[in-house]
Amino acid sequence: MFVNSKKVESSSSPSSEYDELPAPSEAGSANAPLTWPPGVHRVCLPPRQTTLQKLRRRLLEIFFPDDPLHRFKDQTWLTRLVTGVQCFFPIFKWAPNYSFKLLKCDVVSGITIASLAIPQGISYAKLADLPPIIGLYSSFVPPLIYSVLGSSRHLAVGPVSIASLVMGTMLSEAVSYTTEPTLYLKLAFTSTFFAGLFQASLGFLRLGFIIDFLSKATLVGFMAGAAVIVSLQQLKGLLGIVHFTSKMQIIPVLFSVFDHIDECSPQTIVIGVIFLALLLTTRHISSRRPRLFWISAAAPLTSVILSTILVVCLKSKLHNIQTIGQLPKGLNPPSAHMLHFTGDHLALTIKTGITTGVLSLTEGIAVGRTFAALKNYQVNGNKEMVAIGLMNVAGSCTSCYVTTGSFSRSAVNYNAGAQSAMSNIIMAAAVLITLLFLMPLFHYTPNLILAAIIITAVVGLIDYEAAYKLWKVDKLDFVACLCSFVGVLFISVALGLAIAVGISVFKILLNVTRPNTVSLGNIPGTQIYQNRSRYTDAVRIPSFLILGIEAPIYFANSTYLQERILRWIREEEQWLASHDITDLRCVILDMTAVTAIDTSGLDMISELRKMLDNRSLKLVLANPLGSVMEKLHKSDVLELFHFEGLYLTVGEAVSDISSSWKDQP
C-alpha cells in the first residue's frame, strides 16, 4: 500500500522530490494518475534548505533562543547605539527614569540589607577560612559592579555560605591559613579570578545550559548536607573549643567535639545558645509573617551589637570568650599582584574557581529569576552570567572572594520594597562607612555570635519539604538528592558536589539510552490512540501492534529500541496465541515523539524492516517529523518500504491497511 501525508509545513509549492512518488491507486501501474484514497494524506518533506542554512538555524536555536538582536531591527543607527549601551550596561536603561520616590524605597531596602550583609560578610569569611575583613571587602566592591551590569532589580550581592564553605574546604586541603596566610590569600583571590572568568565566559559564549547539569534534586541534597556540615563546624565557636578539626566530614567533626569536650567554655555555651535561640526565633517569626521581615533582617546586626556590648561590659568575668580582634580600617586594598598563575597550586585554584563559580552562578541566577517572576519582569540569564563573572574578576583584584546573589539578603531586599539595583549601591555605601569609621567597634565581637549567625543562615538550606516532594513525585530524583546529601556528609563537600553532578548526568544518560516505548490502543468511537496501560478503555486493533516511541533515536539507544520492539512483538504474538485470536500482521511505529534520528537509528529502522519482512509482518511508520522524514528520504530507507508504510496518523494507517486487506482475494 502506498502512503502519503498532508503537507504539514507551509511552502510556496510542494516538494519536487515527492512529485515522483507513485500514488496508492497506481498499484504498480506506470501511467496511472496521482490519486490517494479518501481520508489518506501524504507525508511531505520539509522545505529544501542548504547545509549552511540548516547549520545556521540550528546554532541560532542552541545559542540564541531569545533572539537578542530583535530589538535592533528596523531602528536608526542612533537608537541601535543607545540600545546596545543599555544592553551591556542595564543601569543606563533604568537610571534616566529614576525618581526620588524610587530612591526613598531603595534607601530603606539598602540600609536594611546592609544590616544583614555586614555580620554575614564577617561570618562567611570565617567560614572560608579567610580574615573577617575580607567578607566586608566582598560586600563593598562587587555590589557596585553588579548595580551597573546586572539585570535584576532585587538581587542583593555578597558572600554566600555554600560558595564560602566549598572554597574554604578545597583550599584548606592543600594550604592552611594559620601556617601560610599569605599563600592562602593568594589562592583565594586567584580562585575568585578563575570563578569570574569562567562565569563571564559562559555568558559571553552563551553556554549557560552547562549549569543546568546541577539539577534541583541534587542541589537540594547537596545544600542540606553542606548546611549540616557547616552547622557542626560552628560548634567550635559556639562551645568555645580552641583545638578543632579542619576536616569537613560529619564523623571527624563529631569525634573532634568529643575529643576536646574538656575545652568547652560554659560562659560561651550559655551566651551562644541564648543568641542562637534569639536568631532562630526572629527567623521563625519573619517566615510566618512576611510583613515582619525586618525582625530577622535586623536580628544579626542587633545580636552583634548586644554581644559586643556584653563582652565589653563584663570583660573581666568573660575572659574565656574568644573575640574577632582588631580589624583594619580603610577601603579594599588592591590584590591584583597577589593573583597566582604559576606554581604547584594552579590546578587547585582552577578547580576551586570553577566549582565555586558554578555553585554561585546557579544560586545567583535562580534567586534573580525567582524574584523577577514575582514582579513580572525578565532576568536575562546570559547577562547575569557576564555581570556576576565580571564582578568576581574585579573582586579578585580588590581583595574580595567569590560573591553572588544571596537568597536571604535578596528576600529581605524584596520585602523591604527595593525598586532597582540602586539598593546594592546604598548597601555598598553603608559598608563603606563601616570600613572607614566603624571597624574598631568589632574588636570585642565574640566568635560565638558569628557561629550563631552562620547556623541560623544555613538552617534555611535544609529544605525537607522539597525532599519529601521529590519522594512523592520522582523516586529517582529523591535517590539523587539522598546520594548527594550522604556524599557531602561522609566523603567531602567537593566530592559530594561531584556525586551530585554525576547522578544528574547518569539520569540524562538513562533517559537517552533507555527511552520509553508504549503499546497503543484505540479509544472507542474516536481516531485517538493512547497508551493501553494508562487508558484502560483503549482497545487492541485485531492484527495490529501499535507502538509509540517517546524519544529521539540515536546511536546510544537504537540497539535497545530494536530489542524492545522485538520483545513487544514476541509478547503480543504469545498473547494472541493464548487467546486464540487472529495472528499479528502489521506493526505500526508512532513517530510523533521522535524529534530526531541519526544514522544508527536509520540503520535500526532498515534492519527492523528486513527482520519483519522475513516474518511476514508489515512495518509502518506514522507521523515522522520533518527532520526525521528528511533523513529517512536521503538515506534511501524509504526504498525498503517501496514508498509504502508511511502515514500521517495512526488512525489513517489502520483504516487504509485494513481496507487493503479486505480488497485482497
Side-chain angles (χ1 to χ4, degrees), residues 14 24 102 109 133 166 177 216 390 406 422 425 476 544 605 624 654:
L102 297 178
S109 57
I133 190 64
V166 172
Y177 177 77
K216 180 180 179 181
L390 294 180
S406 164
M422 178 63 74
I425 298 176
L476 185 59
F544 287 90
I605 297 291
V654 172

Side-chain angles (χ1 to χ4, degrees), residues 277-550:
L278 173 65
L279 289 167
L280 291 174
T281 301
T282 57
R283 179 186 178 87
H284 178 71
I285 292 173
S286 295
S287 64
R288 296 293 297 271
R289 298 187 178 183
R291 290 184 178 180
L292 300 178
F293 69 92
W294 55 270
I295 295 179
S296 62
L301 186 58
T302 303
S303 299
V304 168
I305 295 171
L306 291 177
S307 62
T308 303
I309 293 174
L310 185 65
V311 171
V312 171
C313 294
L314 303 177
K315 187 165 46 176
S316 59
K317 297 181 180 180
L318 301 178
H319 51 81
N320 289 330
I321 294 182
Q322 303 170 31
T323 60
I324 292 178
Q326 186 65 39
L327 296 179
K329 291 197 300 182
L331 297 179
N332 300 35
S335 58
H337 64 284
M338 299 183 71
L339 299 181
H340 197 71
F341 297 127
T342 58
D344 298 334
H345 299 296
L346 179 60
L348 173 64
T349 56
I350 294 175
K351 182 173 68 172
T352 304
I354 291 176
T355 304
T356 55
V358 169
L359 279 174
S360 57
L361 201 58
T362 303
E363 181 174 356
I365 292 178
V367 171
R369 286 176 173 169
T370 298
F371 291 105
L374 294 176
K375 284 294 185 179
N376 196 30
Y377 69 94
Q378 196 170 14
V379 168
N380 187 302
N382 288 295
K383 286 183 183 178
E384 289 297 284
M385 293 176 201
V386 173
I388 294 174
L390 294 180
M391 174 180 78
N392 281 314
V393 169
S396 68
C397 300
T398 52
S399 300
C400 304
Y401 76 107
V402 175
T403 54
T404 188
S406 164
F407 183 81
S408 59
R409 267 165 281 166
S410 299
V412 170
N413 197 31
Y414 173 83
N415 288 319
Q419 299 297 315
S420 71
M422 178 63 74
S423 59
N424 275 297
I425 298 176
I426 303 299
M427 180 191 71
V431 174
L432 173 63
I433 294 172
T434 303
L435 287 170
L436 292 177
F437 306 109
L438 305 180
M439 296 314 296
L441 300 180
F442 291 98
H443 184 280
Y444 291 104
T445 299
N447 288 333
L448 64 90
I449 198 62
L450 302 183
I453 290 172
I454 291 174
I455 292 174
T456 305
V458 300
V459 160
L461 299 178
I462 304 176
D463 194 347
Y464 59 88
E465 291 181 353
Y468 177 68
K469 187 176 180 180
L470 290 173
W471 169 257
K472 284 179 58 179
V473 176
D474 191 325
K475 299 297 189 292
L476 185 59
D477 267 354
F478 178 78
V479 170
C481 172
L482 188 61
C483 290
S484 177
F485 176 75
V486 172
V488 172
L489 281 185
F490 293 96
I491 304 176
S492 74
V493 174
L495 287 178
L497 179 61
I499 291 172
V501 175
I503 292 173
S504 299
V505 173
F506 172 75
K507 184 180 178 182
I508 294 172
L509 293 176
L510 187 64
N511 289 330
V512 170
T513 59
R514 294 295 182 267
N516 193 35
T517 58
V518 295
S519 176
L520 306 180
N522 177 245
I523 305 296
T526 72
Q527 287 293 309
I528 299 172
Y529 289 80
Q530 286 290 346
N531 185 353
R532 287 194 292 111
S533 64
R534 179 182 172 191
Y535 293 87
T536 55
D537 56 338
V539 297
R540 281 183 167 89
I541 305 298
S543 302
F544 287 90
L545 172 62
I546 307 169
L547 300 176
I549 301 175
E550 299 181 342

Side-chain angles (χ1 to χ4, degrees), residues 89-365:
F89 303 99
I91 191 173
F92 292 110
K93 188 173 183 179
W94 55 264
N97 300 318
Y98 199 68
S99 65
F100 182 73
K101 181 179 179 181
L102 297 178
L103 178 61
K104 288 192 297 184
C105 296
D106 287 335
V107 167
V108 172
S109 57
I111 294 175
T112 304
I113 57 175
S115 68
L116 180 62
I118 291 170
Q120 278 191 351
I122 295 173
S123 304
Y124 292 160
K126 296 275 286 184
L127 190 58
D129 285 338
L130 291 166
I133 190 64
I134 300 296
L136 289 180
Y137 291 157
S138 302
S139 300
F140 172 53
V141 172
L144 292 175
I145 297 174
Y146 180 82
S147 64
V148 175
L149 301 174
S151 59
S152 173
R153 302 175 198 164
H154 301 96
L155 197 68
V157 171
V160 293
S161 57
I162 293 299
S164 302
L165 170 67
V166 172
M167 173 172 283
T169 303
M170 296 182 72
L171 295 183
S172 297
E173 291 176 354
V175 178
S176 171
Y177 177 77
T178 306
T179 56
E180 299 178 278
T182 303
L183 178 59
Y184 191 91
L185 282 176
K186 288 181 178 180
L187 298 184
F189 296 148
T190 308
S191 298
T192 301
F193 176 84
F194 282 121
L197 186 64
F198 175 72
Q199 293 166 334
S201 298
L202 291 183
F204 281 123
L205 300 176
R206 306 184 72 83
L207 298 175
F209 59 83
I210 291 177
I211 66 173
D212 293 335
F213 281 98
L214 278 176
S215 67
K216 180 180 179 181
T218 53
L219 277 177
V220 167
F222 172 78
M223 295 176 76
V228 173
I229 289 294
V230 169
S231 300
L232 291 175
Q233 271 285 343
Q234 301 318 303
L235 292 176
K236 174 184 178 181
L238 210 58
L239 302 178
I241 298 175
V242 179
H243 302 90
F244 202 76
T245 181
S246 60
K247 295 182 179 179
M248 299 299 291
Q249 299 85 31
I250 187 170
I251 294 178
V253 170
L254 291 177
F255 271 117
S256 183
V257 172
F258 291 116
D259 288 344
H260 302 95
I261 198 72
D262 56 315
E263 297 181 7
C264 292
S265 167
Q267 299 169 334
T268 302
I269 295 173
V270 171
I271 298 175
V273 170
I274 290 174
F275 277 104
L276 178 60
L278 173 65
L279 289 167
L280 291 174
T281 301
T282 57
R283 179 186 178 87
H284 178 71
I285 292 173
S286 295
S287 64
R288 296 293 297 271
R289 298 187 178 183
R291 290 184 178 180
L292 300 178
F293 69 92
W294 55 270
I295 295 179
S296 62
L301 186 58
T302 303
S303 299
V304 168
I305 295 171
L306 291 177
S307 62
T308 303
I309 293 174
L310 185 65
V311 171
V312 171
C313 294
L314 303 177
K315 187 165 46 176
S316 59
K317 297 181 180 180
L318 301 178
H319 51 81
N320 289 330
I321 294 182
Q322 303 170 31
T323 60
I324 292 178
Q326 186 65 39
L327 296 179
K329 291 197 300 182
L331 297 179
N332 300 35
S335 58
H337 64 284
M338 299 183 71
L339 299 181
H340 197 71
F341 297 127
T342 58
D344 298 334
H345 299 296
L346 179 60
L348 173 64
T349 56
I350 294 175
K351 182 173 68 172
T352 304
I354 291 176
T355 304
T356 55
V358 169
L359 279 174
S360 57
L361 201 58
T362 303
E363 181 174 356
I365 292 178

